[in-house]
Amino acid sequence: MVELIPVAYTYGIIPARWGSTRFPGKPLHLIAGKPLVQHVWERCQDANGLARVIIATDDSRISAVARGFGAEVEMTSTAHATGTDRLAEVAERHPEATHFLNIQGDEPTIPPTLINELAAVLAADPHLDMATCATLVRDPADVDNPNCVKVVRAANGDALYFSRSPIPFRGYAGAHAPLPLRHQGIYAYTRGFLERFVRWPQGDLERFERLEQLRALENGARIRVIVTDHESLGVDSPDDVPRAEEALAQALFRFPLLSSLIS
């Protein structure tokens, strides 16, 4: 287990927008009696690696509800193409912060221990630009599922590549196949790297795969990938709501990290 290093100026940002194509108004959809974004915010409140948690939204309805359950909220532009762009706008207003976590607003079971781990890993290595996480692919069907993003890592735990295609290639008899890893969409950035990242244009790999983290790799950045045994549930459509409610009822977000897999 990586020792938690308290970072006084690590801010957790939860981007939340109304206009999801598949699920309009998703942040306010009730999950087990609470708005979806409230569950995410509560997981962040349980994390002790964050100095401050801010919900970043472009919608007054989300802002009103979030303020109602006690969250700190900042309004952002409606023109942002990604959650990272929205996070960067908030970061500009807070020069005191040195590190930022981009926490997906549609993952109600994100474990506080993982939030702490990301904050600690990034703070511990001054040469590291960015960190994220992954879990083992448990369902064989996900290997070929383009909605399941895969990642392969170097021996030091840094990302080599992310893809919607099956990676690494499986096909040589007798070869020891590494366990496939499924990427989870939580990111940690240093301030300096975040500022550079949002200024870079999209590269061919990012456009082709539709994965913004490839912009970092295309520009030579290091992304540390932490492996966890917790598969945080994403709510992408109304069909995902019952599964999310079941997971919350069983407190599945309390799974520990698979530190043995990190080495």
Side-chain angles (χ1 to χ4, degrees):
M1 175 69 70
V2 175
E3 181 181 357
L4 178 62
I5 302 172
V7 181
Y9 296 105
T10 296
Y11 283 13
I13 311 297
I14 306 172
R17 66 187 183 96
W18 186 271
S20 170
T21 302
R22 288 183 292 175
F23 199 167
K26 179 170 62 172
L28 298 189
H29 190 87
L30 294 182
I31 308 285
K34 296 179 182 178
L36 172 56
V37 71
Q38 182 174 353
H39 287 288
V40 179
W41 177 79
E42 289 177 353
R43 301 292 84 74
C44 293
Q45 295 300 305
D46 290 337
N48 60 11
L50 301 176
R52 198 165 174 179
V53 179
I54 300 170
I55 294 176
T57 186
D58 59 359
D59 190 273
S60 60
R61 292 163 290 188
I62 295 173
S63 175
V65 171
R67 293 181 194 279
F69 59 71
E72 181 177 1
V73 180
E74 293 197 15
M75 298 299 295
T76 58
S77 169
T78 59
H80 292 312
T82 70
T84 305
D85 294 317
R86 198 173 307 282
L87 183 153
E89 180 183 340
V90 174
E92 288 181 359
R93 304 171 189 163
H94 296 280
E96 73 281 5
T98 58
H99 298 72
F100 296 90
L101 264 66
N102 183 344
I103 302 158
Q104 301 298 313
D106 59 2
E107 295 192 2
T109 62
I110 186 73
T113 53
L114 183 57
I115 294 171
N116 291 339
E117 183 90 351
L118 278 174
V121 164
L122 196 64
D125 186 345
H127 303 293
L128 192 61
D129 300 305
M130 180 176 172
T132 188
C133 65
T135 187
L136 297 178
V137 174
R138 295 179 175 86
D139 185 348
D142 282 340
V143 174
D144 295 298
N145 179 359
N147 293 319
C148 171
V149 176
K150 276 71 67 175
V151 59
V152 289
R153 305 189 307 158
N156 66 354
D158 288 353
L160 291 172
Y161 192 64
F162 298 84
S163 182
R164 297 182 183 277
S165 298
I167 53 172
F169 175 74
R170 302 157 294 156
Y172 292 112
H176 176 68
L179 294 172
L181 293 174
R182 175 179 190 152
H183 178 233
Q184 297 192 64
I186 179 173
Y187 301 100
Y189 313 91
T190 62
R191 167 180 290 282
F193 175 72
L194 177 63
E195 291 172 349
R196 296 195 305 274
F197 182 91
V198 295
R199 290 197 300 265
W200 288 329
Q202 284 190 339
D204 290 338
L205 293 176
E206 179 183 356
R207 286 192 294 268
F208 185 75
E209 294 263 18
R210 290 182 292 113
L211 297 173
E212 67 173 324
Q213 64 269 32
L214 290 177
R215 190 185 320 175
L217 296 185
E218 287 185 276
N219 284 277
R222 293 176 57 205
I223 305 177
R224 179 62 46 80
V225 180
I226 298 168
V227 178
T228 173
D229 73 343
H230 176 79
E231 185 175 0
S232 183
L233 296 174
V235 178
D236 297 317
S237 73
D239 293 339
D240 296 325
V241 170
R243 188 165 61 104
E245 291 183 327
E246 180 182 358
L248 284 165
Q250 296 178 11
L252 294 182
F253 57 86
R254 299 188 186 279
F255 277 63
L257 294 171
L258 278 182
S259 295
S260 61
L261 292 179
I262 297 175
S263 58

